[in-house]
Amino acid sequence: MKNIVTIARKELLSYFYSPIAYVVLFIFLMVVGLLYSNIVAAVSQISMQMMRFQGGMGQFNPKEMIFRQSFSNMIVVLLLIMPLLTMRLITEEKKMKTTELLYTSPVTMFEIVFGKFLGVLFLYFLMLGLTFYIPLLVANVISISWKMVLASYLGLLLCGGVFLAWGLFASSLTENQIISAAISFGFLLSLWIIGFMGQVLSDSVIGQILTYLSLITHFENFNKGLIDTTDIAYCIGMITLALYLTYQVVESQRWKS
């Protein structure tokens, strides 16, 4: 456990020694902030129109509209920028020719893989924490359901963990960071679009399997305020599978070196 914590700490600090963490944080917070402002403006406009015509307010739920749309936008932004965080995890070790030192060190492959994953996961946790101003701002104006907010944040954390784990796997496959980011984006996009294919084939067993495998299906449940063990098990299973595949790739490269 000590080796895992040491590797995770080293990985986390390495992000702040390079521009990557600052650039990704800036882009993430700027885009999320702009999208949130647009949603609030749209909700305000709709509210004023409904009050003017004195109708339809019973069906209009501004809290749900603000939060669900904000968190849905956030997961799309994460889909686009997560490969930037993970593209260097193992790829850079290969580029700097430090993999041999790593492979001959007393730490195990499991400790290396899991330590790197925890390091980038903690950075992601910090990113999410910096967006918590959104529910705090809304709570100053109207009463909100903190259960729904926390369920959505749990969904973002777990689904983001899936993104990071598959990005780590992508970085183990190549020595080029650009290619690593491209492969990672391909993995994440596939987890996304198979949900649409599942909807098209919803009447068949294949459609049901694709719907279950789709990340967006499970995130939408969290985003509705639902915390279901099926969704949690899916995310943990996808993370475990990606880390296992990463371990196998790194272990095979260790024996070849």
Side-chain angles (χ1 to χ4, degrees):
M1 189 64 192
K2 183 181 176 182
N3 289 335
I4 293 175
V5 173
T6 302
I7 293 171
R9 182 172 177 273
K10 173 181 170 294
E11 202 61 48
L12 177 63
L13 291 177
S14 69
Y15 277 106
F16 291 99
Y17 292 145
S18 71
I20 293 179
Y22 304 102
V23 171
V24 172
L25 275 171
F26 175 76
I27 293 174
F28 176 66
L29 293 175
M30 181 189 70
V31 174
V32 168
L34 288 173
L35 292 172
Y36 167 69
S37 301
N38 286 336
I39 293 168
V40 170
V43 169
S44 300
Q45 190 175 12
I46 294 171
S47 300
M48 290 179 66
Q49 289 176 349
M50 287 188 168
M51 289 176 66
R52 186 179 304 166
F53 294 107
Q54 297 181 347
M57 288 297 288
Q59 292 77 35
F60 181 61
N61 187 336
K63 292 178 288 186
E64 184 174 336
M65 185 173 175
I66 290 174
F67 286 125
R68 289 194 63 184
Q69 194 58 51
S70 294
F71 292 130
S72 294
N73 289 337
M74 214 181 290
I75 196 76
V76 174
V77 177
L78 290 171
L79 170 75
L80 299 174
I81 66 169
M82 281 303 205
L84 299 178
L85 284 182
T86 57
M87 66 181 184
R88 53 168 292 281
L89 281 172
I90 296 178
T91 306
E92 191 170 70
E93 300 280 0
K94 297 177 182 177
K95 181 182 175 183
M96 302 299 289
K97 306 299 181 187
T98 56
T99 47
E100 286 77 9
L101 292 175
L102 203 61
Y103 292 163
T104 55
S105 64
V107 297
T108 65
M109 282 299 105
F110 169 78
E111 290 171 333
I112 293 171
V113 172
F114 199 59
K116 284 182 174 292
F117 174 70
L118 284 186
V120 70
L121 183 66
F122 191 72
L123 174 62
Y124 172 57
F125 185 76
L126 293 177
M127 285 172 56
L128 277 187
L130 292 174
T131 66
F132 208 69
Y133 71 89
I134 292 177
L136 291 177
L137 285 176
V138 178
N140 278 331
V141 181
I142 53 178
S143 63
I144 64 175
S145 168
W146 285 104
K147 180 185 174 185
M148 187 184 78
V149 172
L150 293 177
S152 297
Y153 268 102
L154 176 63
L156 285 172
L157 182 64
L158 290 172
C159 293
V162 174
F163 287 166
L164 294 174
W166 284 96
L168 176 63
F169 173 59
S171 75
S172 71
L173 298 175
T174 176
E175 297 181 0
N176 186 299
Q177 293 191 17
I178 303 298
I179 296 175
S180 169
I183 295 173
S184 175
F185 182 70
F187 281 145
L188 305 189
L189 194 60
S190 298
L191 287 176
W192 197 279
I193 61 177
I194 57 175
F196 300 118
M197 296 168 62
Q199 290 177 6
V200 174
L201 304 171
S202 58
D203 294 332
S204 65
V205 176
I206 294 177
Q208 292 174 8
I209 293 173
L210 291 176
T211 300
Y212 176 78
L213 291 176
S214 170
L215 188 75
I216 193 64
T217 303
H218 301 277
F219 176 72
E220 281 302 316
N221 289 336
F222 286 114
N223 206 17
K224 292 174 185 171
L226 303 174
I227 299 178
D228 195 309
T229 52
T230 303
D231 302 316
I232 295 174
Y234 165 84
C235 291
I236 293 176
M238 292 298 286
I239 291 171
T240 304
L241 175 62
L243 294 183
Y244 173 75
L245 293 175
T246 307
Y247 170 84
Q248 291 296 332
V249 172
V250 176
E251 183 70 12
S252 66
Q253 292 168 351
R254 180 185 203 179
W255 286 108
K256 290 178 183 176
S257 63

